[in-house]
């Protein structure tokens, strides 16, 4: 935190306007929201699963509380958050290493930016994420037996 | 630690979690697909019998602690970055960094205690 800091004019509201960044911006917003859900859950999860060290009675007692339909559905939402966060995180790791961004070159009209170059990768991964979500939903709720 | 190193760790733990969290979610919630890894006959993944079976394996003990450390670092560093962006003040950043580090250490110690505790205890 040695660098100069700037006033955040839009604050949290700035998250919700994609502008020219379009799908990548919305992917980033969803990444943060799903990340929030996951870290909130993890903090509780560590204490809940810590009950196993106290023995079977403590474990069964806490599981009895968590096996209600409400918690079952909340865990499903968490599974969706995980799938999205993992798929988008996979994309971010690739982008961090410059994969799919193209090599730096003299700009020529019509200009193609690195955002455009990596966009097919975004679509492919989002389709893959949707397929994983469908499979996970079928398996989680045991749809069709 | 330098911000660039923390950022590198964020990606490293992200890659670790991509694998370990997929395994964890799969074993716990999608047993028809991932059940071959650690299925206990006649028990659901969250039944005490299955929990004890997993917890008594040294591989699960080691992987669980790496998993816990990676998840806490990745999640809490991400949370810190979001909060610093929302409130860009050096003082806030320093206090937040300290609070989040202490919180992460407490969770890591408690999670490790539970993981090691069930491994060594006789039930």
């Amino acid at each position: 935190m040695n660098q100069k800091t700037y006033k955040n004019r839009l604050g949290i509201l700035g998250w919700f306007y994609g502008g020219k960044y379009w799908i990548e911006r919305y992917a980033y917003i969803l990444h943060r929201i799903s990340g929030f859900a996951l870290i909130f859950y993890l903090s509780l999860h560590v204490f809940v699963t810590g009950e196993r060290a106290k023995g079977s009675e403590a474990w069964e007692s806490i599981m009895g509380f968590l096996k209600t339909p409400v918690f079952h559905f909340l865990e499903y939402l968490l599974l969706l958050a995980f799938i999205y966060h993992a798929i988008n995180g996979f994309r971010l790791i690739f982008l961090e290493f410059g994969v799919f961004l193209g090599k730096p070159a003299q700009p020529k009209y019509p200009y193609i930016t690195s955002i455009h170059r990596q966009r097919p990768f975004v679509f492919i991964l989002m389709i893959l994420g949707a397929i994983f979500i469908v499979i996970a939903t079928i398996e989680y709720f045991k749809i069709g037996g | 630690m330098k911000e660039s190193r923390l950022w590198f760790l964020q990606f490293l733990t992200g890659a670790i979690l991509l694998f370990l969290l997929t395994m964890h979610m799969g074993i716990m919630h999608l047993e028809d697909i991932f059940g071959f890894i650690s299925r206990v006959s006649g028990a659901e993944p969250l039944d005490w019998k299955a929990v004890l079976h997993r917890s008594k394996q040294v591989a699960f003990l080691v992987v669980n602690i790496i998993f816990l450390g990676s998840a806490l670092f990745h999640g809490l560093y991400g949370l810190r970055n979001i909060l610093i962006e929302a409130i860009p003040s050096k003082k806030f950043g320093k206090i937040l960094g300290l609070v989040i580090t202490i919180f992460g250490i407490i969770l890591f110690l408690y999670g490790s205690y539970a993981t090691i505790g069930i491994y060594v205890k006789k039930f």
Side-chain angles (χ1 to χ4, degrees):
Chain A
M1 288 301 292
N2 292 327
Q3 71 271 37
K4 190 178 174 186
T5 54
Y6 295 91
K7 194 170 187 297
N8 186 354
R9 285 185 301 113
L10 294 174
I12 301 292
L13 283 177
W15 289 17
F16 298 96
Y17 175 63
K20 64 181 177 181
Y21 297 107
W22 195 53
I23 192 166
E24 288 79 14
R25 182 74 178 187
Y26 296 112
Y28 152 91
I29 295 161
L30 261 181
H31 197 76
R32 289 191 153 192
I33 293 170
S34 56
F36 261 131
L38 290 167
I39 188 61
F40 177 70
Y41 178 80
L42 175 66
S43 307
L44 298 176
H45 192 58
V46 169
F47 287 105
V48 167
T49 54
E51 288 296 298
R52 71 194 190 281
K54 294 176 187 168
S56 63
E57 279 184 18
W59 179 256
E60 297 298 350
S61 161
I62 196 97
M63 283 300 114
F65 177 68
L66 294 176
K67 275 180 181 169
T68 58
V70 173
F71 278 102
H72 190 64
F73 183 70
L74 287 177
E75 282 197 332
Y76 168 69
L77 293 183
L78 197 83
L79 186 62
L80 299 189
F82 157 67
I83 293 172
Y84 174 77
H85 200 85
I87 287 279
N88 196 51
F90 180 73
R91 178 178 75 88
L92 295 178
I93 292 172
F94 272 78
L95 296 191
E96 184 73 7
F97 291 105
V99 182
F100 302 122
L101 295 181
K103 289 181 179 171
Q106 188 80 21
K108 283 180 189 164
Y109 189 81
Y111 306 120
I112 298 170
T113 67
S114 56
I115 290 176
H116 294 104
R117 287 196 199 102
Q118 60 83 55
R119 195 155 279 167
F121 188 46
V122 181
F123 286 121
I124 290 166
L125 285 180
M126 291 305 137
I127 291 167
L128 197 64
I131 293 168
F132 285 158
I133 284 174
V134 170
I135 294 170
T137 304
I138 292 169
E139 168 60 15
Y140 190 83
F141 292 109
K142 310 281 181 208
I143 297 168
Chain B
M1 197 183 280
K2 277 185 184 173
E3 206 63 37
S4 58
R5 283 186 189 158
L6 290 170
W7 191 237
F8 171 75
L9 276 177
Q10 180 74 348
F11 277 86
L12 182 69
T13 51
I16 292 170
L17 289 173
L18 203 57
F19 177 70
L20 292 184
L21 196 52
T22 303
M23 291 292 115
H24 180 72
M25 287 286 192
I27 291 169
M28 294 301 160
H29 301 295
L30 312 171
E31 66 265 30
D32 285 351
I33 301 170
F34 289 83
F36 67 94
I37 298 170
S38 179
R39 180 176 280 147
V40 175
S41 64
E44 292 287 314
L46 290 173
D47 287 351
W48 175 249
K49 194 178 160 188
V51 170
L52 200 61
H53 172 75
R54 282 194 301 274
S55 303
K56 289 292 183 188
Q57 295 175 48
V58 73
F60 267 88
L61 170 81
V62 174
V63 169
N64 262 342
I65 291 176
I66 295 171
F67 181 29
L68 177 69
S70 301
L72 284 172
F73 177 85
H74 190 85
L76 293 174
Y77 181 70
L79 179 67
R80 168 194 172 266
N81 285 353
I82 293 172
L83 293 175
I84 283 178
E85 188 189 293
I87 306 164
S89 139
K90 279 183 188 174
K91 195 177 174 185
F92 174 74
K94 278 188 179 175
I95 295 168
L96 182 72
L98 186 69
V99 169
I100 278 190
T101 305
I102 293 168
F103 182 62
I105 290 170
I106 291 170
L107 283 179
F108 182 74
L109 290 177
Y110 183 74
S112 301
Y113 155 77
T115 307
I116 296 167
I118 194 170
Y119 178 77
V120 295
K121 267 187 196 172
K122 286 182 181 174
F123 292 100

